[in-house]
Amino acid sequence: MRRLIRGGTCILPGRVVPLDVLIENGKILDLAPPVAASADEIIDAAGLYVLPGVIDDQVHFREPGLTHKEDLRTATRACAKGGVTSFLEMPNTKPTTTSQAALEAKLAIAASKCLVNYGFYIGATPHNLAELVHAKRTPGIKIFIGSSTGDLLVDDQAALEAIFAETTLPICAHCEDETTVKANAARIGGGKTYADHSLIRDHEAAIVATRRALDLAIRHQHRFHVLHVSTAAEVDLIGQHTKLITAEVCPHHLFFNVDDYPRLGSLIQMNPSIKFASDNQRLWEGLQTGLIQVIATDHAPHTLEEKAQPYPQSPSGLPAVENSLALMLNAVNAGKLSLTQIAECMSNAPAKVWDIVGKGRITPGYDADLVLVDMDKKQTITNESQETKSRWSPWAGETLTGWPVTTLVNGEVVFANGVIHEGSLGREIVYDHTLGGYWK
Ligand code: DOR
């Protein structure tokens, strides 16, 4: 099957070029093919930009075990609509993904349900070092240094030292210091309002845990990716340690701050918590200057009924996977970043951080995971239009300019003209950890 994307403008690494893209058997065959090149199907991309599909390296898709919130089909319908062609999912499902057997069970479910390409982290516990050492078919190890949704937590220093010393897979971590969080909660009597969440999981909690994780990574010279950076001080910390450390920021930490609690309440209750307007500002600068390499969502749906519970019973997490690219395209239109930076932070960089083979850029021989975007399209986010099973968005009511309009996964059209196509399935992501990560 040959498809030709004709008349679009391609976002290549560091370059914006009008180019046709010829696709054959799921891969990019040629850029700027001869005008007479034959194709079974022509996709008209006149007036559109062609970007490498988004690789979201931090999502919680809830299957198995928590499928009343989300499942791999609803989540990947949302991905298709949002221009996300590959995802890496976190281990806090039920059961947790903390063994090779659990990882392979998840991969088996994914093979029959995912509309986009899939991969799953293996989660660390204080007792599964042998599983972490021998894990295969995974981008890397996730450590919750600080508890969040679920009961995965490694806070013990000896256990953390052993993981950094004895494993070779890349490591990423949720960094919020458990001791600080508990002390803050005790000080304010457990918290009564949603806004208290940002007092309990405060700046100090994030900074202390990130400093601790960086110390481990540097002493053990172990590749390390800081998930969902939320404070200005962490941006500065990370900036001191390039060449070993990479970092990620999420849209909610860029766009929301504590001033939004009166309007949005528990909808923006997240771990790490949202912080101050000054943190938003520094996180944008981190992206603009390359101190932060990756944009990911931390898509973590809960039902609206669960979210409506009073604090602290209300769970932390929000869905974002179908709006993240549009939010960032809108930011491009507002002059905050360039399309080249979006393609870098949402596709090429995560592919490099996790040693993903054949993805992340528009190059002959690479997988045809592509998203066509219309930078002039204006659309308002509504709860009703969301594909995520939870059917809400903290951005509902916002009108964004710049939207994905067509998504291709391995050369197959999974979203076009507002319609999601379920006729093809995504594939397991392949990693080559000898590639050595982002800085190689
Ligand atoms: O707020 C969050 N919710 N942060 C996380 O790290 C986990 C997530 C979840 O799984 O609900």
Side-chain angles (χ1 to χ4, degrees):
M1 175 73 169
R2 274 187 168 211
R3 287 197 170 87
L4 179 65
I5 302 178
R6 195 157 65 189
T9 300
C10 289
I11 308 299
L12 307 183
R15 282 191 310 144
V16 180
V17 201
L19 282 177
D20 294 347
V21 183
L22 187 60
I23 297 166
E24 189 176 67
N25 297 331
K27 294 203 184 289
I28 298 168
L29 182 67
D30 200 0
L31 297 179
V35 180
S38 64
D40 303 300
E41 186 184 324
I42 292 182
I43 298 173
D44 180 11
L48 305 178
Y49 289 92
V50 186
L51 276 74
V54 172
I55 300 173
D56 192 330
D57 84 347
Q58 192 189 181
V59 299
H60 302 265
F61 281 172
R62 310 301 194 199
E63 185 163 0
L66 298 161
T67 51
H68 68 287
K69 297 175 196 276
E70 189 77 285
D71 64 53
L72 288 171
R73 178 50 66 97
T74 53
T76 56
R77 283 178 62 86
C79 285
K81 184 178 156 202
V84 177
T85 53
S86 298
F87 68 83
L88 300 177
E89 208 248 6
M90 289 297 166
N92 58 337
T93 40
K94 267 190 182 168
T96 54
T97 322
T98 48
S99 66
Q100 188 66 30
L103 179 65
E104 291 187 9
K106 231 182 199 186
L107 284 165
I109 305 170
S112 66
K113 290 185 90 168
C114 288
L115 303 182
V116 306
N117 305 309
Y118 48 89
F120 300 98
Y121 294 93
I122 185 155
T125 76
H127 313 292
N128 73 340
L129 187 58
E131 294 282 352
L132 303 181
V133 168
H134 298 295
K136 288 175 197 57
R137 299 171 67 186
T138 184
I141 297 166
K142 161 73 181 280
I143 313 178
F144 281 89
I145 306 179
S147 58
S148 188
T149 304
D151 52 12
L152 282 177
L153 171 67
V154 187
D155 193 29
D156 174 64
Q157 189 65 19
L160 286 169
E161 297 282 352
I163 294 168
F164 276 85
E166 291 177 38
T167 64
T168 54
L169 284 170
I171 297 177
C172 61
H174 178 121
C175 297
E176 282 185 297
D177 183 57
E178 201 62 8
T179 309
T180 309
V181 169
K182 283 195 176 128
N184 287 339
R187 186 168 40 79
I188 66 165
K192 287 175 192 57
T193 69
Y194 301 124
D196 287 343
H197 194 65
S198 290
L199 299 177
I200 293 172
R201 292 178 176 261
D202 66 353
H203 288 70
E204 192 62 13
I207 296 158
V208 167
T210 296
R211 193 179 290 126
R212 182 181 184 194
L214 293 179
D215 170 66
L216 282 157
I218 288 151
R219 277 192 293 106
H220 293 287
Q221 285 296 291
H222 200 124
R223 276 166 61 184
F224 181 65
H225 185 59
V226 189
L227 298 167
H228 41 41
V229 173
S230 63
T231 67
E234 286 169 285
V235 178
D236 298 335
L237 267 180
I238 288 155
Q240 298 164 18
H241 302 292
T242 51
K243 307 298 175 209
L244 187 63
I245 308 299
T246 50
E248 166 204 290
V249 68
C250 303
H252 50 273
H253 289 127
L254 290 167
F255 292 107
F256 295 131
N257 58 61
V258 292
D259 299 336
D260 294 306
Y261 276 121
R263 185 170 59 91
L264 293 167
S266 67
L267 301 187
I268 53 166
Q269 181 190 322
M270 279 299 291
N271 302 334
S273 69
I274 55 143
K275 305 289 191 311
F276 300 163
S278 51
D279 297 295
N280 299 148
Q281 172 65 26
R282 185 74 184 120
L283 292 169
W284 279 111
E285 285 167 11
L287 269 181
Q288 288 154 351
T289 57
L291 290 176
I292 296 174
Q293 294 76 26
V294 171
I295 301 168
T297 60
D298 197 8
H299 177 96
H302 300 283
T303 66
L304 276 177
E305 291 71 30
E306 291 165 335
K307 279 294 215 181
Q309 295 170 88
Y311 193 81
Q313 285 80 36
S314 48
S316 298
L318 58 82
V321 91
E322 67 200 272
N323 299 310
S324 57
L325 179 58
L327 286 161
M328 299 315 296
L329 296 176
N330 190 63
V332 169
N333 276 326
K336 281 187 176 295
L337 289 173
S338 67
L339 275 178
T340 313
Q341 283 170 310
I342 297 299
E344 173 61 27
C345 296
M346 299 185 89
S347 197
N348 190 37
K352 286 199 293 184
V353 168
W354 298 109
D355 302 324
I356 293 174
V357 176
K359 297 193 187 298
R361 51 167 70 194
I362 301 177
T363 304
Y366 269 46
D367 297 334
D369 296 337
L370 300 165
V371 56
L372 277 53
V373 309
D374 179 350
M375 290 304 286
D376 298 322
K377 180 173 176 171
K378 242 189 203 358
Q379 193 169 286
T380 304
I381 298 173
T382 63
N383 285 346
E384 301 68 42
S385 64
Q386 300 303 292
E387 290 294 334
T388 175
K389 198 182 267 185
S390 61
R391 295 229 183 259
W392 63 272
S393 166
W395 287 282
E398 292 200 24
T399 301
L400 306 179
T401 307
W403 282 90
V405 291
T406 302
T407 307
L408 290 93
V409 174
N410 302 309
E412 299 297 327
V413 177
V414 295
F415 174 70
N417 302 317
V419 178
I420 296 163
H421 298 276
E422 296 198 345
S424 60
L425 292 170
R427 297 186 191 146
E428 180 178 345
I429 295 171
V430 177
Y431 319 92
D432 175 0
H433 289 303
T434 66
L435 291 173
Y438 183 85
W439 297 108
K440 280 283 155 82

